[in-house]
Amino acid sequence: MSRFEIAYINNHLIIPDSQEIIEKGYPKNESGQTYGPDLSDYVGSVPDLILAESEDGIKGYLKKTDKDSITSSSRTLPLYLQDGQTKIAELTLKTK
């Protein structure tokens, strides 16, 4: 599978190729979680770990379950590597 990697201190963020996701589906990590950019318009589902970018320009994955549980007007959520466990940044989501 083609992918793009970003190196963070001793860690690598893997971003799968969008075209391959459309053709083969989202890749899965060792825990069985799917990850990648939200291509639900093309593949019919949202991955468990959704590619996002912090205000500081740091890319990582936001857990779908965290995003779905937002109830306030803004909330800070962790961004992870594709393993869904290694926290690399925080993202502030603002809802309308």
Side-chain angles (χ1 to χ4, degrees), residues 34-38 46-53 60-65 67-68 79:
T34 55
Y35 64 92
D38 180 355
V46 176
D48 300 316
L49 302 168
I50 305 165
L51 184 63
E53 186 172 341
Y61 290 101
L62 174 66
K63 290 183 178 181
K64 181 182 179 297
T65 54
K67 184 179 176 189
D68 290 346
L79 287 178

Side-chain angles (χ1 to χ4, degrees), residues 4-27:
F4 180 73
E5 291 189 35
I6 299 174
Y8 293 107
I9 300 172
N10 297 323
N11 293 300
H12 293 272
L13 176 73
I14 298 172
I15 302 172
D17 180 70
S18 296
Q19 188 59 41
E20 288 198 29
I21 292 172
I22 292 168
E23 292 172 6
K24 300 177 183 176
Y26 294 108

